[in-house]
Amino acid sequence: MRQLRAELGRLGITADLHHGYGMALLSVWVDLVVWSDGLRFLWWGGQISQTTGRRTYIVHSTGNPAATARRIAQRYTDLRRTHPMSRLIEELHS
């Protein structure tokens, strides 16, 4: 997960890393949390299954964190457009 976080950093994306109980979570943006069990990365791709009505998740092997980071960056870009920072958070960042 640290490698994925570093790859996201190379793309200009910061994320908070949390771990425990055999899982690691990388909080990237609103509705974008990546989690890993050490074998794969998973995150919500933004779609709802028409069959089940549940969120559909994207799954990537942990073997190529650079490719995974590029895919997450696409979702991040979409979410930044649809879920901008609140005014309060923008003021804290300026």
Side-chain angles (χ1 to χ4, degrees):
M1 194 62 102
R2 286 185 176 100
Q3 289 176 318
L4 178 59
R5 183 179 183 193
E7 291 294 338
L8 288 168
R10 286 180 190 68
L11 298 172
I13 300 170
T14 59
D16 293 324
L17 178 60
H18 309 274
H19 52 85
Y21 303 104
M23 294 290 289
L25 301 172
L26 199 57
S27 177
V28 182
W29 195 254
V30 174
D31 278 336
L32 183 52
V33 175
V34 181
W35 66 94
S36 178
D37 59 2
L39 301 174
R40 60 192 157 257
F41 297 117
L42 299 99
W43 67 94
W44 180 43
Q47 303 295 319
I48 303 292
S49 168
Q50 291 186 4
T51 306
T52 64
R54 296 181 179 186
R55 291 179 170 200
T56 57
Y57 289 84
I58 297 170
V59 180
H60 264 251
S61 164
T62 56
N64 191 344
T68 302
R70 288 190 298 272
R71 187 102 185 257
I72 292 168
Q74 292 171 343
R75 177 79 174 122
Y76 173 81
T77 300
D78 292 342
L79 286 170
R80 288 286 308 251
R81 190 173 50 253
T82 59
H83 289 89
M85 284 188 200
S86 70
R87 183 175 291 144
L88 176 63
I89 292 174
E90 281 182 359
E91 290 172 5
L92 290 172
H93 283 262
S94 22

